[in-house]
Amino acid sequence: TQLLEQSPQFLSIQEGENLTVYCNSSSVFSSLQWYRQEPGEGPVLLVTVVTGGEVKKLKRLTFQFGDARKDSSLHITAAQPGDTGLYLCAGAPVRAGNMLTFGGGTRLMVKP
Amino acid sequence: DARVTQTPRHKVTEMGQEVTMRCQPILGHNTVFWYRQTMMQGLELLAYFRNRAPLDDSGMPKDRFSAEMPDATLATLKIQPSEPRDSAVYFCASGLGPKTGDTPEAFFGQGTRLTVV
C-alpha cells in the first residue's frame, strides 16, 4: 500500500473537457507537491501547496490542499492535448523528515 | 541553465555484471534523491542524502545496491551483481532543503534506463 494514493490511475478524455485527479493519504503532510512527467523525461514540479485549505492556480490548473493536510486535488479546465502526461503527487509526512515519497500517478491522455 | 545530469542515459548489461550510474546535482543543492521507476511500482525512493551524508537508504536492497556521494558534485548508485528484476529507469533528483520539516522541491535528471538481460 502506497503512502499516497492517487485516483484515477488512468484517464482518457476529449480536448475541452474538465477533469479532477485526487491524491489521498492517512498521514499528515507539511506540504504536498504536484509534478508532471512526459515520456523519456524526469518529473517536473508544477506547484507546492503548504497551508491546509490552500488553493493555487496555474493557468488552467487548480490545485487544492485539504484542510487536514492529508489530501490534495488537481483540477484541469478545458484540457488540451498538451496536458497529456503522468501527474504525480509527492510529499514528506510530518514525522518522516524530508523523505519525499510519490504517489502512483495518474496517467492522463487528452485526445484532440 | 541549471539541471541535474545523469549518465549514462541508457545501459544494457548482462545479469551478474556491475552497473554504476552517475548523477551531477544542480550546483548549490544540498539534497540528493535516488528513485527507481517501473510501471508496476511507480517511483520508489531508494536513497536520500543531505549535505553528502546518507540520511535514509531503507528503500534500497542492501545486498546488491550502494549509493555514495564522493563529493558535492557527484552522486553514484551502484548495483553489483545486477539482476533482470533491476531493469527500470533510475532517477536522480536534487533540491535545497534548508530547514527541518520543509519538503525540498526536487529537480529531476532525465534518468538512466537500465536493462539487465
Side-chain angles (χ1 to χ4, degrees):
Chain A
T1 306
Q2 292 197 308
L3 186 63
L4 286 164
E5 296 284 345
Q6 288 189 244
S7 61
Q9 287 183 285
F10 301 96
L11 191 54
S12 180
I13 61 172
Q14 293 294 135
E15 182 176 1
E17 291 183 13
N18 300 333
L19 67 118
T20 302
V21 300
Y22 300 93
C23 174
N24 295 296
S25 178
S26 56
S27 297
V28 177
F29 292 82
S30 57
S31 63
L32 276 179
Q33 301 167 2
W34 285 92
Y35 292 76
R36 180 168 67 206
Q37 185 179 19
E38 297 185 18
E41 300 292 329
V44 175
L45 180 69
L46 296 173
V47 79
T48 301
V49 284
V50 179
T51 308
E54 180 178 7
V55 176
K56 277 193 174 176
K57 293 198 173 191
L58 189 68
K59 297 183 181 177
R60 294 175 293 100
L61 279 60
T62 302
F63 304 86
Q64 183 159 11
F65 199 11
D67 291 340
R69 294 187 289 134
K70 293 183 179 181
D71 54 86
S72 182
S73 63
L74 158 59
H75 181 80
I76 302 179
T77 303
Q80 298 177 0
D83 296 327
T84 293
L86 178 67
Y87 288 82
L88 296 154
C89 66
V94 166
R95 279 183 254 173
N98 299 135
M99 286 175 54
L100 188 64
T101 58
F102 282 77
T106 293
R107 199 167 292 278
L108 172 66
M109 177 174 291
V110 182
K111 300 179 211 171
Chain B
D1 90 287
R3 62 180 67 188
V4 175
T5 304
Q6 289 188 248
T7 55
R9 289 291 313 277
H10 303 271
K11 177 74 177 178
V12 180
T13 191
E14 291 186 346
M15 183 173 64
Q17 295 298 304
E18 177 178 301
V19 175
T20 299
M21 291 168 270
R22 292 178 174 80
C23 167
Q24 181 176 357
I26 292 173
L27 189 64
H29 281 184
N30 63 352
T31 305
V32 171
F33 303 93
W34 280 105
Y35 290 92
R36 173 171 63 185
Q37 187 174 40
T38 61
M39 286 296 290
M40 293 298 294
Q41 300 296 327
L43 267 169
E44 301 173 276
L45 180 64
L46 297 176
Y48 159 50
F49 291 79
R50 169 66 61 82
N51 297 322
R52 294 178 53 204
L55 290 193
D56 193 281
D57 60 2
S58 58
M60 206 162 65
K62 300 291 189 304
D63 55 339
R64 298 183 300 109
F65 284 60
S66 61
E68 295 179 345
M69 280 201 75
D71 61 60
T73 65
L74 177 64
T76 62
L77 180 66
K78 191 174 295 186
I79 308 175
Q80 167 63 21
S82 57
E83 297 181 2
R85 60 180 166 148
D86 301 329
S87 297
V89 181
Y90 290 80
F91 285 103
C92 172
S94 71
L96 200 56
K99 296 190 284 266
T100 300
D102 279 359
T103 306
E105 298 174 347
F107 294 81
F108 280 77
Q110 291 185 291
T112 294
R113 182 174 294 276
L114 174 66
T115 304
V116 183
V117 298

